Amino acid sequence: MLEAEFEKLYREMAHNHLKPLWTSERIIVPIQPHSKAVAWLWKGSRLLDFARRAGDLVTLERGGDRRAMGLSNPGLGGLPYATPTLWAAIQWLNGREVAPAHRHTAQAVRFIIEGHKTYSTVQGDKVYLERGDFLINPPGYWHDHGSEGDSPAMWLDGLDLPITNYLDASFFEYDESEVQEVTAVIDGSVMKYGIGQLRPAWEAPCKQYSPIFTYKWNTTDQALNNLAKVDASPFDDVAFEYTNPHTGRPVMDTMTAWIQMIRPGIHTKAHRQVNSAVYYVHEGCGATIIDGIRFDWEKGDIFVIPSWVYHEHLNESKDERAILFSIQDTPILVALGKYREEELPSNRGHQLVKGVFDAESVMAQK
């Protein structure tokens, strides 16, 4: 009799779009984070092959004005997202081609993989790009990209599209002209603000977004080499966060970007964080152990670390450094009071390796 009353209650509650907490508490309030995203690795050689083929077949008009391939995490049910909060993509631009001007509410960053004689214009500020340059694109800022050479360009895009779409806050607008009018001296923002500890005395600090739209690789590389002589993190080795030089804050409100050097022979300690990250291997080779699985990587590879899983990096080379670029969703978690970090307390800070990542075997288990 009592069971029948329960069934009637639940049936009538469901009919009225109600869900009792006591039947789904651990789903709604889990003991700890358990991301639907999975740790994954995309091989650079395969990404390059797909990008080249897309460059031959897909015009910018057919590709929606940007020839970009989004990384779709296998754990997210077919969604075109690398993690639940980050969209990451490889974008390809043919030589003598222009990706026309548009703007959107999504916040965006870019890391240049190849870019000889390529430029990006953000809000009238045109800057020529080189391999290893890092670009920001604040929301609502007009931007276009182009090539003045014969060689193609390729870069990694990072946008907060999952968050923007979840909040029903996406706006997008095309410019009437394909290319913006350049309103500043070429490379002007780099020349004016590129030495971050100095600011033009007659200007107020730029508090919302960084005044530097392009962080040049040669400056970043020098900073990494200098820091390596002074200090390093036990979890990330020689690591920098790109920041607004006027405030010290991350370059975007919803995501941040890091550049880090894993020196020869370094094996970092493991920790875990309430955030997710997408890593691009800019230089060298090595491995990252994620939740007990070893992910071997080399130049051009991209891998994902989901939220709240232990991870550590190692570079087994005796004389070659490794450079990792990453985008992370940390700022939004900090702003909401959700961020947490924890080091592995056992085994002297190192995980026990349970296996080596193999995409086919992982998919076979799903």
Side-chain angles (χ1 to χ4, degrees), residues 29-104:
V29 189
I31 300 299
Q32 64 180 18
H34 183 72
S35 179
K36 292 181 180 178
V38 297
W40 200 258
L41 184 143
W42 292 263
K43 292 300 298 179
S45 56
R46 185 165 294 180
L47 292 171
L48 179 59
D49 175 62
F50 285 134
R52 281 176 173 161
R53 289 161 61 188
D56 292 336
L57 295 172
V58 181
T59 63
L60 285 180
E61 292 78 13
R62 186 178 293 172
D65 88 358
R66 295 292 190 270
R67 193 184 292 105
M69 306 180 302
L71 306 176
S72 180
N73 190 295
L76 297 181
L79 290 172
Y81 302 147
T83 80
T85 54
L86 297 172
W87 181 82
I90 292 294
Q91 186 167 161
W92 179 275
L93 189 72
N94 287 322
R96 308 290 177 180
E97 192 172 53
V98 173
H102 66 209
R103 63 179 178 177
H104 40 69

Side-chain angles (χ1 to χ4, degrees), residues 11-322:
R11 185 170 60 252
E12 292 181 359
M13 290 174 71
H15 183 73
N16 286 274
H17 309 289
L18 296 170
K19 186 74 173 179
L21 173 63
W22 58 88
T23 63
S24 56
E25 184 174 6
R26 290 286 67 86
I27 298 174
I28 299 172
V29 189
I31 300 299
Q32 64 180 18
H34 183 72
S35 179
K36 292 181 180 178
V38 297
W40 200 258
L41 184 143
W42 292 263
K43 292 300 298 179
S45 56
R46 185 165 294 180
L47 292 171
L48 179 59
D49 175 62
F50 285 134
R52 281 176 173 161
R53 289 161 61 188
D56 292 336
L57 295 172
V58 181
T59 63
L60 285 180
E61 292 78 13
R62 186 178 293 172
D65 88 358
R66 295 292 190 270
R67 193 184 292 105
M69 306 180 302
L71 306 176
S72 180
N73 190 295
L76 297 181
L79 290 172
Y81 302 147
T83 80
T85 54
L86 297 172
W87 181 82
I90 292 294
Q91 186 167 161
W92 179 275
L93 189 72
N94 287 322
R96 308 290 177 180
E97 192 172 53
V98 173
H102 66 209
R103 63 179 178 177
H104 40 69
T105 47
Q107 303 188 21
V109 298
R110 296 175 181 84
F111 188 79
I112 303 302
I113 298 172
E114 297 294 343
H116 182 61
K117 291 187 178 181
T118 305
Y119 67 85
S120 180
T121 305
V122 178
Q123 208 73 356
D125 178 51
K126 182 176 181 179
V127 175
Y128 285 95
L129 307 174
E130 302 166 307
R131 173 174 160 77
D133 287 354
F134 169 69
L135 291 72
I136 69 167
N137 206 121
Y141 282 36
W142 292 106
H143 55 285
D144 58 80
H145 318 293
S147 170
E148 296 177 357
D150 296 323
S151 301
M154 186 167 69
W155 57 83
L156 174 69
D157 282 324
L159 282 78
D160 66 351
L161 287 172
I163 297 170
T164 302
N165 291 335
Y166 176 78
L167 296 173
D168 294 328
S170 179
F171 291 88
F172 183 94
E173 186 178 357
Y174 290 105
D175 195 349
E176 293 181 358
S177 58
E178 185 176 72
V179 179
Q180 294 177 72
E181 178 185 358
V182 177
T183 57
V185 175
I186 302 297
D187 293 336
S189 62
V190 175
M191 292 188 287
K192 192 174 185 180
Y193 303 110
I195 308 238
Q197 65 267 36
L198 299 173
R199 171 174 56 85
W202 60 91
E203 290 190 359
C206 298
K207 293 184 178 180
Q208 186 171 14
Y209 297 110
S210 173
I212 310 172
F213 295 145
T214 304
Y215 293 68
K216 302 299 291 182
W217 171 248
N218 56 355
T219 304
T220 304
D221 190 30
Q222 181 180 357
L224 285 169
N225 289 326
N226 288 344
L227 182 59
K229 300 173 184 177
V230 179
D231 205 356
S233 160
F235 306 109
D236 294 291
D237 204 25
V238 183
F240 277 111
E241 179 180 22
Y242 293 95
T243 62
N244 179 342
H246 291 184
T247 64
R249 296 180 63 248
V251 292
M252 291 286 121
D253 299 313
T254 53
M255 58 183 168
T256 189
W258 281 33
I259 193 77
Q260 64 194 100
M261 177 199 302
I262 312 297
R263 293 168 293 173
I266 290 294
H267 187 164
T268 69
K269 291 185 176 181
H271 68 158
R272 59 182 178 179
Q273 301 148 288
V274 179
N275 73 350
S276 61
V278 180
Y279 284 80
Y280 168 73
V281 184
H282 178 60
E283 186 180 314
C285 58
T288 298
I289 301 168
I290 307 172
D291 199 23
I293 303 299
R294 176 175 169 133
F295 288 71
D296 290 289
W297 40 256
E298 60 186 351
K299 178 182 173 181
D301 291 352
I302 299 176
F303 61 95
V304 165
I305 301 180
S307 181
W308 206 240
V309 293
Y310 285 112
H311 55 278
E312 58 197 272
H313 310 291
L314 60 149
N315 179 359
E316 295 171 326
S317 171
K318 295 181 180 179
D319 50 16
E320 296 291 332
R321 68 180 188 174

